[in-house]
């Protein structure tokens, strides 16, 4: 009786009894469960697990990009094929490529496009040359080099709006430091730099060079510091001068960085908005009206959202071509090496 009673009490829920059955760990015929494991890295199970883990790691960064970048981009492209305008009561109609057809004959837009190219190239090229010279100087073993490096990146730390306001004060025709210096040197009475038809665009380009040069300088300086000094010493022992050492040692070492930062600067400058808007708002007479400013005016001053979206699509296409050319150049450079 005692053994029968003990057997009856020993059930699946008894903490002291053995668990039996197909899912139990004890009893005759019982088969323990095995924890799932990803498997070796080279096996199909390990590869599938690695793909899932990679997606889980990428999702936190991918979701904001999809919501804040890809989503608005697709919406803007769709908006370019409509007659969307400001006003709640106005219905939006699908008009196909009519906005793009009108854009082909819009001389004001193509003028702004030409000004944007002049601005982008006029800022990027001098910016790179000056930044390269400054990076070479800051790479030398000079006294107070740390202070010079800190001061060189000050413009980079300033918001574009602040930079624009500061330079408006510099260019002020009555009390600006530039005109005051010209008067003190006896070179004339100065001029209104930002409202003159001949001086507005060069004055704005000068500000763009000053504001963007620190970023290029830091990138090039990082490349210079990663160049082995043994190569310079060996070239100097072979009798190579400063220019030859730069051409054969320094430039090949920093060339990938130089190409990358120049391409990014060109794209960034072509898309400029805040700095020029604060300085001139596109004036005088449209002489500094960049494509982004033109699209902004069409959308938020005149309420032509569909037409402005078509302008944005054209600019995205141009930037995509620039990126494609840059990537093709990088790939060919990698194959040559």
């Amino acid at each position: 009786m005692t053994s029968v009673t003990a057997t009856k009490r020993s059930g699946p829920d008894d903490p002291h009894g053995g668990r039996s059955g197909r899912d139990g760990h004890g009893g005759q015929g019982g088969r323990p469960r095995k924890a799932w494991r990803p498997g070796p890295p080279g096996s199909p199970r390990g590869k599938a697990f690695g793909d899932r883990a990679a997606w889980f790691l990428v999702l936190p960064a991918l979701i904001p990009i999809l919501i804040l970048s890809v989503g608005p981009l697709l919406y803007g492209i769709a908006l370019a094929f409509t007659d969307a305008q400001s006003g709640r009561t106005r219905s939006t109609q699908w008009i196909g490529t009519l906005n793009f057809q009108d854009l082909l004959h819009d001389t004001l837009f193509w003028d702004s496009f030409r000004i944007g190219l002049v601005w982008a190239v006029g800022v990027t090229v001098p910016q790179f040359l000056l930044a390269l010279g400054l990076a070479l100087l800051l790479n030398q073993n000079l006294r107070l080099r740390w202070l010079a490096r800190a001061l060189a990146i000050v413009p980079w730390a300033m918001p574009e709006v602040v930079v624009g306001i500061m330079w408006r004060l510099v260019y002020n025709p009555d009390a600006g430091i530039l005109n005051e210096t010209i008067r003190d040197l006896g070179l004339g009475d100065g001029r209104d730099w930002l409202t003159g038809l001949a001086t507005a665009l060069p004055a704005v380009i000068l500000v763009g060079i000053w504001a963007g040069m620190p970023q290029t300088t830091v990138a090039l300086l990082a490349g210079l510091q990663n160049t082995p000094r043994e190569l310079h010493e060996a070239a100097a022992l072979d009798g190579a001068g400063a220019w030859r050492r730069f051409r054969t040692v320094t430039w090949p070492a920093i060339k990938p960085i130089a190409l990358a930062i120049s391409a990014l600067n060109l794209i960034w400058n072509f898309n400029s908005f805040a700095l020029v808007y604060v300085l001139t708002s596109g004036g005088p007479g449209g002489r500094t009206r960049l494509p982004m400013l033109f699209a902004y005016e069409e959308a938020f001053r005149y309420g032509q959202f569909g037409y402005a979206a078509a302008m944005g699509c054209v600019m995205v296409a141009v930037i995509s071509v620039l990126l494609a050319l840059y990537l093709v150049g990088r790939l060919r450079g990698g194959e040559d090496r």
Side-chain angles (χ1 to χ4, degrees):
M1 290 295 292
T2 305
S3 61
V4 173
T5 306
T7 303
K8 288 182 179 180
R9 289 180 180 177
S10 176
D13 296 329
D14 186 10
H16 300 289
R19 295 178 60 88
S20 62
R22 299 175 61 184
D23 296 333
H25 294 287
Q28 296 181 357
R31 189 175 182 181
R33 288 184 177 180
K34 293 183 179 180
W36 185 86
R37 296 181 180 180
S43 65
R45 181 182 295 180
K47 185 177 180 182
F49 178 78
D51 292 341
R52 291 196 197 97
W55 275 110
F56 278 114
L57 293 174
V58 169
L59 277 179
L62 186 62
I63 291 176
I65 293 175
L66 293 174
I67 295 176
L68 302 177
S69 297
V70 178
L73 176 62
L74 296 177
Y75 177 73
I77 293 174
L79 201 66
F81 295 91
T82 66
D83 63 346
Q85 298 181 11
S86 61
R88 293 184 177 180
T89 59
R90 177 176 173 78
S91 60
T92 300
Q93 303 294 330
W94 183 268
I95 60 174
T97 60
L98 186 59
N99 285 328
F100 295 94
Q101 295 175 16
D102 294 339
L103 201 59
L104 289 175
H105 302 91
D106 192 343
T107 57
L108 293 177
F109 172 73
W110 294 113
D111 284 343
S112 72
F113 199 86
R114 176 184 57 81
I115 293 171
L117 290 177
V118 172
W119 152 267
V121 176
V123 171
T124 303
V125 174
Q127 187 180 90
F128 172 78
L129 295 177
L130 293 174
L132 179 59
L134 183 59
L136 290 172
L137 180 62
L138 295 178
N139 194 43
Q140 301 299 318
N141 190 14
L142 304 175
R143 294 182 60 186
L144 299 178
R145 184 175 58 177
W146 62 272
L147 180 60
R149 290 179 177 179
L151 294 176
I153 64 173
V154 167
W156 193 15
M158 299 172 63
E160 287 188 327
V161 175
V162 176
V163 172
I165 294 173
M166 183 185 71
W167 277 91
R168 280 183 65 91
L169 296 175
V170 172
Y171 285 135
N172 187 280
D174 298 324
I177 188 174
L178 180 59
N179 281 341
E180 288 292 334
T181 303
I182 291 175
R183 295 188 189 100
D184 293 340
L185 295 176
L187 300 177
D189 295 331
R191 59 195 309 172
D192 197 346
W193 300 94
L194 295 177
T195 59
L197 296 178
T199 59
L201 186 57
V204 173
I205 288 176
L206 179 62
V207 179
I209 295 171
W210 182 85
M213 194 171 66
Q215 180 182 1
T216 309
T217 303
V218 170
L220 294 175
L221 183 59
L224 290 173
Q225 290 179 337
N226 289 327
T227 305
R229 292 189 175 274
E230 293 80 6
L231 297 179
H232 289 278
E233 294 174 356
L237 290 175
D238 291 338
W243 169 246
R244 188 177 177 184
R245 290 200 305 270
F246 173 80
R247 184 169 54 86
T248 59
V249 177
T250 304
W251 177 248
I254 65 171
K255 184 178 178 181
I257 298 176
L259 293 177
I261 195 65
S262 297
L264 293 176
N265 284 340
L266 186 65
I267 295 170
W268 177 265
N269 291 326
F270 186 77
N271 285 329
S272 292
F273 173 80
L275 185 63
V276 181
Y277 182 78
V278 173
L279 285 169
T280 62
S281 298
R287 295 299 176 93
T288 60
R289 185 186 291 133
L290 304 182
M292 285 296 178
L293 284 172
F294 193 85
Y296 172 81
E297 290 179 352
E298 287 293 325
F300 298 104
R301 178 178 293 182
Y302 305 112
Q304 302 294 330
F305 295 133
Y307 193 54
M311 295 180 187
C313 289
V314 172
M315 287 182 279
V316 168
V318 172
I319 293 171
S320 300
V321 170
L322 294 176
L323 280 175
L325 293 175
Y326 166 69
L327 292 175
V328 169
R330 288 300 304 271
L331 291 175
R332 288 181 178 176
E335 292 176 357
D336 294 338
R337 290 192 296 272

